[in-house]
Amino acid sequence: MSRAPQTPGEYWDAYKPYRGGGAQPRPDVGRFEWTQYAGHGPGAELLGSPGRALDLGPAEGREAACLAGRGVRVTGVDLSAVQTARARAWWQDLPGLDFVHGEACSYLSGTTETYDAIYSVWGAVWFTDPGRLLPLVAARLAPGGVFAFSQAEPAPGAYGPQAVRGKWLEGRERELTVTRWQYPPESWAGHLKWAGFDRVDARILPAPDGEGPGTLLVVAR
């Protein structure tokens, strides 16, 4: 049985490998990763065969670049100007890939585009009120489209909006308090059905060694 982190400090220590920080080389994009463990769990096949995809909170753009390299037209929307600039610099050579500096709900409510797949890998879904976000996602999915996201396995009993402090990005001098939303799989299923999704698979994917923290993985249509 995987054990979820119990405190904010323990939480960020456990997930540090995924957070990034410091000078980083451009990452390898050979495989689409949903978890913090390389090569573990499903890959891009969860999204089907999209022609157009939207990445909510792409950070450095690894997953977006992975899809673009396979011929998918991808837009990544990230709240961080630093991450957006880095993603643009790293992946400027890939056609069909665009990174936008913006907030997820504002972007979704302001665009007329529809997408075959909308996804978030430890990104904006984690840090946005699902009551606002999920109906906007549903409205921008093309018929038959897929919405998928992953984030940390929730700590038992620590459900709903949780305030977390951290510097978040390299070079930041002061800590910033942000809110993350976390629920058990059955609660996410309820939120998604309320927003109009009728087929939802929400589960915890255990760590490969069975000891580390697991990953919440949700796919909805």
Side-chain angles (χ1 to χ4, degrees):
M1 176 68 72
S2 61
R3 175 184 176 276
Q6 304 298 307
T7 68
E10 184 182 14
Y11 163 82
W12 288 111
D13 285 344
Y15 292 98
K16 188 176 181 180
Y18 199 86
R19 289 161 52 199
Q24 295 176 307
R26 180 167 126 164
D28 174 70
V29 294
R31 186 179 190 275
F32 192 109
E33 302 282 4
W34 293 99
T35 82
Q36 70 273 35
Y37 307 106
H40 177 57
E45 68 273 8
L46 287 187
L47 301 176
S49 301
R52 187 88 168 86
L54 177 65
D55 188 330
L56 299 177
E60 75 277 4
R62 184 188 182 283
E63 289 76 27
C66 181
L67 291 180
R70 302 180 184 192
V72 182
R73 292 174 55 222
V74 186
T75 297
V77 180
D78 202 284
L79 188 61
S80 167
V82 173
Q83 296 279 43
T84 301
R86 180 164 58 187
R88 288 171 177 166
W90 274 356
W91 311 113
Q92 58 185 312
D93 58 326
L94 276 178
L97 179 57
D98 183 34
F99 293 99
V100 176
H101 176 219
E103 191 271 332
C105 289
S106 296
Y107 180 85
L108 288 164
S109 61
T111 185
T112 58
E113 287 273 6
T114 58
Y115 301 90
D116 305 307
I118 299 177
Y119 67 93
S120 175
V121 179
W122 297 59
V125 174
W126 201 0
F127 298 100
T128 309
D129 182 350
R132 293 181 58 222
L133 178 66
L134 299 185
L136 293 172
V137 169
R140 303 274 36 102
L141 271 179
V146 178
F147 174 46
F149 64 92
S150 62
Q151 60 190 54
E153 175 183 12
Y159 302 143
Q162 308 285 321
V164 184
R165 292 178 61 86
K167 291 187 178 179
W168 310 110
L169 294 173
E170 64 274 18
R172 187 176 183 87
E173 295 181 359
R174 297 181 180 180
E175 289 192 338
L176 174 69
T177 299
V178 300
T179 302
R180 72 172 188 264
W181 276 260
Q182 57 180 29
Y183 297 99
E186 58 272 19
S187 294
W188 276 114
H191 282 294
L192 286 156
K193 289 177 180 178
W194 167 82
F197 294 90
D198 57 7
R199 288 183 289 163
V200 180
D201 177 14
R203 55 195 168 99
I204 300 297
L205 187 65
D209 60 7
E211 297 295 331
T215 303
L216 173 80
L217 184 60
V218 181
V219 182
R221 302 176 187 274

